[in-house]
Amino acid sequence: MDRILIVDDELNMRLVLGAMLKKEGYEVASAADGREALQILQSGPVAAVITDLKMPHLSGMELLDRMNAHHPDIPVIMITAHGTVATAVEALKKGALDYITKPFELEELQSVVAKAIKTRNLKENELFLPPEEIDRPGMIGQSPSTMEIFEAIRRVAPTTTTILITGETGTGKELVAEAIHRNSPRKNNPLIKINCAAIAETLMESELFGHEKGAFTGAAITKPGKFELAHKGTLFLDEVGEIPKEMQVKLLRVLQEQEFERVGGLKTIKVDVRIIAATNRNLSQSVQEGSFREDLFYRLNVFPICVPPLRDRSDDILPLVD
């Protein structure tokens, strides 16, 4: 039985989380702060840690630093209030697996803990590749920034982490996505690509989630969407910044719960899909302007990879010419 460690200075939060996890079949341990959590980590195996950010004695961020040093294989999930989401994203950059926002639903907790267990199992099976064995088709370069991208691919490919690739048009964002998929445990399953900028707004929901026969004029047959086609594989959302605002809510739900309904359908379809998104937009600016949802941005930007233009990595020019 997998043991989950809950770390929170609020007793009620520990009790609520513990009850939810026990109901799902997990063994639960709890700690009131980071120092107590470190003692529990020394006492026996822990499959995942769920920790609050703000705690006395040793904060969630400090606990994360200690775990990176002494327990790097145990995934960490942050609990955050709405006002501290930006801090949680900072924790993601430091190695936390994901975060849940108060108040949270059972389904969201189930999804993120299942992802944590899967990630822990992957690490235990040592699926990380040495840099020289990374399959990176079409990617050529030797500049420091290109080598950083290769290292990022090596680190993130074996996980289930959501990735946001940014960079100007033509820098090779799709090649990075392909390399991540080909070096992941999902490499024998589909890599489904969709250019969000090339789909009419009225057809976006049908393209992503599919539709039932007769759902709208012209829907002569039942058609699965891109999420269904990518089940057990990877879905690459290119130009994700072009997704209409009303569709962003539905995309956020799928990211959180890994389930959806087809257009015109009543049945809830569950999928196991790894999301890689890409954009040439500055999504932080789009969030400030109100054209892109802040919560969706944080969900996509779990592991950011920036692909610089060739003018900023001149060391790559000669290898490309060769």
Side-chain angles (χ1 to χ4, degrees), residues 156 161-165 173 176-181 191-192 194 234-238 240 255 273-278 300 305:
V156 79
T161 302
T162 303
I163 299 156
L164 180 63
I165 307 170
K173 298 186 292 296
V176 175
E178 288 179 358
I180 291 168
H181 176 75
L191 168 61
I192 302 296
I194 181 168
T234 304
L235 179 61
F236 177 52
L237 298 172
D238 199 7
V240 72
L255 288 177
V273 175
R274 201 256 183 92
I275 300 293
I276 304 176
L300 292 172
I305 297 177

Side-chain angles (χ1 to χ4, degrees), residues 21 33 35 52 91 124 164 181 190 231 246 250 264 301 321:
L21 290 169
D33 58 53
R35 288 195 306 200
D52 196 12
E124 285 186 346
L164 180 63
H181 176 75
H231 182 55
E246 57 273 17
K250 297 179 179 181
N301 197 41
V321 171

